[in-house]
Amino acid sequence: MTSTQTAATPLVKISGLTKHFPIPGSEDVVRAVDDVSFDIRTGETIGLVGESGCGKTTVGRCIVRLIDPTSGTIEFGGRDITELRGDGLRAQRREMQIIFQDPYSSLNPRLNIRAIVAEPLEIHNIGTRSERIEMVADLLRRVGLDPKYADRYPHEFSGGQRQRIGIARALALKPKFIVCDEPVSALDVSVQAQVINLLEELQDEFGLTYLFISHGLAVVEHISDRVAVMYLGKIVEICKSEELYRDPLHPYTQALLSAIPIPDPKQKRERIVLHGDVPTPVNPPSGCRFRTRCQIAIEECAAVVPELRELRPGHFAACIRAEGYKESVGSSG
């Protein structure tokens, strides 16, 4: 980024994060994430949105070190954790956890709920066996489940209940930071609201910081303090949630928001239809990656890679045709 987003030291600071996946039998790579930089402040929820395949989940998994980045740095509490290995990485993982998207495949079907939730406690050698049993009961109560269900197995629960179990597991080590990787996308709408409300209650109770990954823009608006929009491995816009939904600057964000239904049949929103498919991350377009689907693209867009610039206070966008972009380039030159 070209200017500081916050005067305070962020809890998580991502700088130039890049993750390329090699293609077997080829010299090409899948450019899943390319030079992504943003901060996550203590106690806030930052939403990360974009179409499927844009790199959202890869960003989240790199941050918690489930996969190693190709390049870039990840700082947690002012400490670079990018190269941590072994015992150092294990100790760091007490501070950060992840809630997975699929509540069906993320729980071991051969373990009962007590064993699933207690597993992090055992790995990190926290408490005695009897103390762990009580800790699990307390965690289940906190996520709205009866502790007497602890002897049951995942297949005996509904999708919403399974996700609550996943949340309890993520809370077991009392982390400061949780990546929520599309935690409600597999749930019914009514259950989605319950899980979102639970996450907000837990955030207030434990002082948690969230990276909330989703392609559901309406869900992100409800829970996020700030929102970052990704397209084909890059962040194209980031700002406060209310400002993004009120006055987006990037044409991709504008198109995404135009697709959100308005719950009033008398109101209509002009729909911006994106033509064509998302280009392949193996060989993305030159210049601006969105230009092949953008309605306002000009010839210059193929030659210039737009930087993420602060066009308004706290509002960053990467589009050479966005309001204030040229003035920003001029002032920084």
Side-chain angles (χ1 to χ4, degrees):
M1 295 217 175
T2 57
S3 64
T4 303
Q5 289 187 22
T6 175
T9 301
L11 179 64
V12 182
K13 182 178 178 64
I14 298 97
S15 302
L17 181 64
T18 298
K19 180 60 182 178
H20 294 168
F21 293 97
I23 300 175
S26 171
E27 295 183 359
D28 292 329
V29 295
V30 176
R31 301 174 181 272
V33 178
D34 247 342
D35 193 22
V36 163
S37 301
F38 64 99
D39 300 340
I40 307 174
R41 303 163 190 166
T42 301
E44 83 166 338
T45 298
I46 185 165
L48 188 59
V49 302
E51 293 172 281
S52 296
C54 71
K56 308 184 299 295
T57 292
T58 301
V59 168
R61 295 192 174 208
C62 282
I63 292 174
V64 296
R65 296 296 314 283
L66 286 180
I67 55 178
D68 292 330
T70 303
S71 62
T73 59
I74 303 161
E75 295 181 19
F76 189 95
R79 177 193 182 196
D80 187 352
I81 66 170
T82 316
E83 301 298 331
L84 285 181
R85 296 290 186 275
D87 291 341
L89 181 57
R90 175 176 292 190
Q92 179 61 43
R93 285 193 169 135
R94 292 186 63 167
E95 304 288 327
M96 53 188 191
Q97 290 291 305
I98 184 169
I99 300 168
F100 294 98
Q101 175 180 359
D102 187 355
Y104 295 90
S105 63
S106 63
L107 302 180
N108 189 334
R110 298 184 179 184
L111 297 181
N112 64 26
I113 302 311
R114 180 179 293 107
I116 288 172
V117 178
E119 191 170 23
L121 302 171
E122 294 178 2
I123 290 172
H124 290 271
N125 197 27
I126 297 173
T128 63
R129 185 177 183 277
S130 60
E131 287 173 340
R132 290 170 192 160
I133 290 174
E134 184 53 43
M135 290 178 192
V136 170
D138 182 59
L139 286 165
L140 292 178
R141 280 191 290 266
R142 288 178 183 273
V143 299
L145 294 175
D146 194 323
K148 69 181 182 183
Y149 297 155
D151 292 322
R152 297 184 181 181
Y153 288 80
H155 71 271
E156 300 179 77
F157 294 87
S158 67
Q161 289 173 322
R162 292 189 199 194
Q163 198 58 290
R164 289 174 185 266
I165 295 164
I167 293 170
R169 178 177 58 185
L171 289 173
L173 298 175
K174 299 181 179 179
K176 296 178 181 177
F177 172 67
I178 297 179
V179 172
C180 306
D181 184 13
E182 302 202 41
V184 298
S185 63
L187 307 178
D188 293 339
V189 174
S190 59
V191 180
Q192 286 183 13
Q194 295 172 15
V195 173
I196 291 295
N197 290 336
L198 173 63
L199 288 171
E200 290 183 320
E201 291 169 6
L202 294 171
Q203 183 174 37
D204 291 338
E205 182 177 354
F206 296 103
L208 297 169
T209 301
Y210 291 147
L211 173 65
F212 191 92
I213 299 169
S214 179
H215 58 260
L217 288 164
V219 172
V220 170
E221 180 183 17
H222 177 74
I223 195 172
S224 301
D225 299 299
R226 288 187 298 146
V227 177
V229 182
M230 281 194 76
Y231 182 81
L232 205 61
K234 286 185 172 290
I235 289 183
V236 297
E237 187 164 5
I238 182 169
C239 67
K240 289 183 178 180
S241 177
E242 59 269 22
E243 183 171 350
L244 185 89
Y245 284 81
R246 183 182 68 249
D247 191 14
L249 296 178
H250 197 281
Y252 176 61
T253 310
Q254 293 167 359
L256 288 180
L257 295 179
S258 75
I260 299 177
I262 299 176
D264 185 346
K266 296 181 180 179
Q267 294 186 26
K268 292 185 178 181
R269 176 184 283 135
E270 183 180 352
R271 178 73 189 274
I272 301 173
V273 179
L274 297 180
H275 298 285
D277 297 325
V278 179
T280 172
V282 176
N283 185 27
S286 63
C288 174
R289 295 188 175 187
F290 182 60
R291 66 177 176 82
T292 57
R293 305 173 73 197
C294 181
Q295 293 183 325
I296 63 170
I298 56 177
E299 187 175 343
E300 190 179 358
C301 295
V304 177
V305 179
E307 295 183 34
L308 196 60
R309 291 185 175 271
E310 188 173 20
L311 307 186
R312 296 175 185 166
H315 194 152
F316 298 77
C319 174
I320 64 172
R321 300 206 65 193
E323 173 191 342
Y325 189 87
K326 291 185 177 180
E327 290 83 350
S328 173
V329 172
S331 64
S332 66

